[in-house]
Amino acid sequence: MKIIPAYRNDQIIIANVTIGDSFLSRARGLMFTRTLAPDSAYLLKDCNSVHTFFMHFTIGVVYLSQDFAITKIVPVLERRSLSSDRSARHTLELHPATLAALSLRVGDRLHF
């Protein structure tokens, strides 16, 4: 899997973003992962819904349009939960504390 940084306004905001761009990598996502480092995230390309079944921690979720503009933010998605955004094309999963510290807003555009 490919790991790249995420940028907002030409500034790195998340150093290690793992790209899930195949059926298997999207299906597995963060399931069965024990921890999620604050400087890491998981980008699910071509995916507009997530669940936290089989996960050991809560996550923050950022839904993104085709051109990576934020369409919806879920600050904390508890374990064993579902979330989606029909208007989104991609989904970014990250540590809730990291999401809070970034002060992202709907409409902000991210670059990968």
Side-chain angles (χ1 to χ4, degrees):
M1 280 187 263
K2 190 174 177 182
I3 299 175
I4 59 173
Y7 298 86
R8 178 180 58 186
N9 301 329
D10 297 325
Q11 182 177 27
I12 294 176
I13 60 170
I14 304 168
N16 303 301
V17 178
T18 302
I19 307 296
D21 58 0
S22 70
F23 174 78
L24 288 176
S25 64
R26 284 190 305 271
R28 183 175 189 276
L30 293 172
M31 285 192 309
F32 310 112
T33 302
R34 289 283 174 199
T35 61
L36 179 61
D39 67 339
S40 297
Y42 201 92
L43 177 65
L44 299 158
K45 294 189 83 179
D46 299 317
C47 177
N48 65 1
S49 64
V50 296
H51 67 81
T52 55
F53 301 113
F54 311 109
M55 291 181 64
H56 299 278
F57 46 85
T58 60
I59 58 173
V61 182
V62 177
Y63 291 98
L64 304 162
S65 67
Q66 174 68 31
D67 60 351
F68 300 105
I70 297 173
T71 60
K72 179 179 175 181
I73 298 171
V74 179
V76 177
L77 184 62
E78 297 292 336
R79 294 178 61 212
R80 298 179 202 97
S81 299
L82 298 166
S83 178
S84 67
D85 179 8
R86 288 183 180 207
S87 68
R89 179 68 182 266
H90 313 291
T91 304
L92 184 67
E93 300 176 334
L94 63 163
H95 195 287
T98 303
L99 179 54
L102 291 174
S103 300
L104 297 173
R105 290 184 230 133
V106 171
D108 286 353
R109 190 174 310 279
L110 305 183
H111 303 278
F112 298 91

